[in-house]
Amino acid sequence: MSTASEFFIMARGEQMPTIEILVPCYNEEAVLEKFYERVSKVLDGINGCEFRYIFVNDGSTDGTLELMRELRRRDERVHYVGLSRNFGKEAAMIAGLDHVEGDAVIIMDADLQDPPELVPEMIDWWRRGYKDVSAKRRSRDGESWFKKWSSHTYYKLLQRMTDFPIQIDVGDFRLLDRQCVEALKMMREAQRYTKGMFSWIGFEKKELLFDRSARAAGRTKWNYWKLFNLALEGITSFTMIPLRFASFLGCILSTAAMLYMIFVVIKTLLYGDEVQGYPSLISVILFIGGVQLLFLGIIGEYLGRIFNESKRRPLYLISELDGKTVIKQCVIRNS
């Protein structure tokens, strides 16, 4: 054991710290075994820590759950949570975080786009006192130019719209101290944008650059429509700017309409009433009508969030936990 590891253990007590690997999975049968072998190889070379896996089966329709059961039989460090249906990655992550018992957790995707070889460096920075050690994408193989550009632009826009710093080009691949985990577990909103939550909770952060590889196997579950919805979740979850912009633009249009009305009245008094300007009048009416519908849509997005939160349904339901059927759900929404 290295000197740094010994000092870290002394600071936390005699017992070695436990780090858990949280892996949300949806139809990852093609890559899950390869993921486990590659990660285990990396973890076996790390001294001074104990490791534990938490796989979350997010309602997979292939053999992902059976693979988790097999890994559980082979390795006592492996634990898994089987959700009753597909609740989405955001819900799967909070389901895993609710079952974290160790000193820290590392969130990883099963597709091996998150290189396990970065884990030792993450742990090293955690030992130095950082609470949130994240991996920042330097390059992204296997993705189109438009997807890379739109993702970077979106994070830049979100950073300008929020009143707290948003991490750019940083995904879910990160190490979180138990303090961060407990903070995230307090946030029980139904429509979740975890990437924003990571930034919102604060704590000491460290970013590590890495080159994101293409998927090792299988197909991505994220199409442009799902990415657009996720981006909309981020904007409506952490900023009121769209509503304020609607109010601001509404004031401008109202002022412009008032000035135009005064102009029409004065023109009529001076030159008489002539039936002219019909195309321009229709254009103005259609433009203002379109803006009104846009604003109603923005208000509807926020109103829909209030409606979903008011139902206070659980974020997820568990059907199986480490091979045991779950009858009574113990995870509920905060009052």
Side-chain angles (χ1 to χ4, degrees), residues 160-178:
R160 291 178 178 273
M161 295 175 69
T162 55
D163 56 0
F164 59 93
I166 291 285
Q167 293 177 286
I168 298 177
D169 293 329
V170 175
D172 300 319
F173 182 30
R174 63 183 64 224
L175 182 150
L176 296 171
D177 185 80
R178 187 57 187 263

Side-chain angles (χ1 to χ4, degrees), residues 179-195:
Q179 242 184 315
C180 297
V181 173
E182 294 302 321
L184 290 168
K185 286 165 64 176
M186 295 171 63
M187 305 169 72
R188 310 302 293 189
E189 54 256 48
Q191 292 178 272
R192 308 180 64 80
Y193 184 69
T194 311
K195 294 178 180 62

Side-chain angles (χ1 to χ4, degrees), residues 13 19 24 38 43 80 95 97 120 136 148 165 178 197 232 253 268 293 304-305:
I19 299 177
R38 184 170 162 186
L43 299 185
Y80 69 89
L97 292 175
K136 183 173 183 176
K148 297 175 186 176
R178 187 57 187 263
M197 294 178 182
L232 198 60
L253 290 176
T268 302
L293 289 176
R305 297 185 68 86

Side-chain angles (χ1 to χ4, degrees), residues 217-234:
R219 299 176 59 183
T220 180
K221 316 305 184 301
W222 292 94
N223 54 35
Y224 284 110
W225 176 245
K226 289 184 178 179
L227 289 173
F228 173 77
N229 286 332
L230 183 64
L232 198 60
E233 289 290 341

Side-chain angles (χ1 to χ4, degrees), residues 196-258:
M197 294 178 182
F198 291 145
S199 298
W200 186 88
I201 61 173
F203 296 104
E204 298 84 355
K205 299 186 183 300
K206 175 67 179 180
E207 294 180 355
L208 306 178
L209 292 175
F210 80 107
D211 298 309
R212 188 172 174 86
S213 305
R215 286 183 62 93
R219 299 176 59 183
T220 180
K221 316 305 184 301
W222 292 94
N223 54 35
Y224 284 110
W225 176 245
K226 289 184 178 179
L227 289 173
F228 173 77
N229 286 332
L230 183 64
L232 198 60
E233 289 290 341
I235 293 174
T236 54
S237 294
F238 290 97
T239 177
M240 301 290 288
I241 290 294
L243 290 175
R244 291 174 183 171
F245 175 76
S247 301
F248 178 72
L249 190 55
C251 291
I252 293 178
L253 290 176
S254 298
T255 303
M258 181 66 69

Side-chain angles (χ1 to χ4, degrees), residues 128 186 226 262 286:
R128 299 185 192 185
M186 295 171 63
K226 289 184 178 179
I262 295 173
L286 291 176

Side-chain angles (χ1 to χ4, degrees), residues 6-52:
E6 292 175 351
F7 177 78
F8 184 77
I9 294 172
M10 289 176 62
R12 287 193 168 239
E14 294 299 326
Q15 188 176 2
M16 286 195 300
T18 301
I19 299 177
E20 310 196 30
I21 310 297
L22 170 58
V23 191
C25 301
Y26 177 64
N27 290 346
E28 299 290 1
E29 178 185 14
V31 74
L32 193 58
E33 179 74 32
K34 189 181 299 183
F35 168 86
Y36 169 76
E37 292 177 356
R38 184 170 162 186
V39 173
S40 295
K41 184 178 180 181
V42 173
L43 299 185
D44 290 342
I46 301 175
N47 296 322
C49 293
E50 294 181 352
F51 294 97
R52 179 173 178 260

Side-chain angles (χ1 to χ4, degrees), residues 292-310:
Q292 288 175 334
L293 289 176
L294 174 63
F295 291 169
L296 285 175
I298 293 174
I299 295 172
E301 285 291 332
Y302 284 92
L303 186 61
R305 297 185 68 86
I306 297 173
F307 171 69
N308 285 331
E309 294 297 331
S310 68

